[in-house]
Amino acid sequence: SVIPNAVDTSMFTPNPAARKSNCITIVCITRLVYRKGVDLMVEVIPAICKQFEHVNFIVGGDGPMRVALEQMRENNQLQDRVEMLGHVQHHDVRNVLVRGHIYLNCSLT
């Protein structure tokens, strides 16, 4: 038998109108904990922003590693390039995801 996907993928069709046209937006929505690879994001975001001036990030989620992300953003003066949304309600996830060109998943598990 076939087990259907629990996600209605048609709801997550990219929406070019929701994106900024002058840059590439990378989106990550996750719990901000170590096992979700947030420490990797803290390392890679400044490197990507330094190398590619047209790349921005949207980070949704909350957790104990949020402080590390906020410190990274401040230390590298990336407040205008890394948007921190905090907790994203389930019904708002789609509206955040369609704003991006790329979805970043750094999860270690």
Side-chain angles (χ1 to χ4, degrees):
S1 72
V2 175
I3 300 173
N5 192 340
V7 176
D8 181 358
T9 57
S10 67
M11 294 197 49
F12 293 92
T13 303
N15 181 1
R19 300 178 188 159
K20 293 181 181 178
S21 61
N22 60 342
C23 69
I24 295 173
T25 302
I26 300 174
V27 176
C28 180
I29 299 179
T30 189
R31 286 181 302 118
L32 301 180
V33 296
Y34 175 80
R35 69 186 199 114
K36 294 295 184 178
V38 176
D39 59 316
L40 300 174
M41 289 173 40
V42 168
E43 295 296 321
V44 77
I45 288 174
I48 290 172
C49 287
K50 184 176 182 179
Q51 189 170 357
F52 303 101
E53 66 183 39
H54 65 285
V55 174
N56 294 326
F57 289 83
I58 299 172
V59 179
D62 208 354
M65 296 283 299
R66 180 179 178 144
V67 172
L69 279 166
E70 290 174 341
Q71 287 176 339
M72 171 275 300
R73 187 172 73 158
E74 187 172 323
N75 292 343
N76 293 280
Q77 299 177 338
L78 296 173
Q79 293 88 339
D80 60 334
R81 301 202 37 209
V82 180
E83 182 180 352
M84 299 289 296
L85 301 178
H87 176 74
V88 177
Q89 294 291 327
H90 180 74
H91 63 272
D92 291 327
V93 169
R94 180 216 175 265
N95 295 333
V96 174
L97 291 177
V98 299
R99 290 175 55 196
H101 296 88
I102 299 168
Y103 179 76
L104 176 63
N105 181 1
C106 296
S107 183
L108 305 175
T109 58

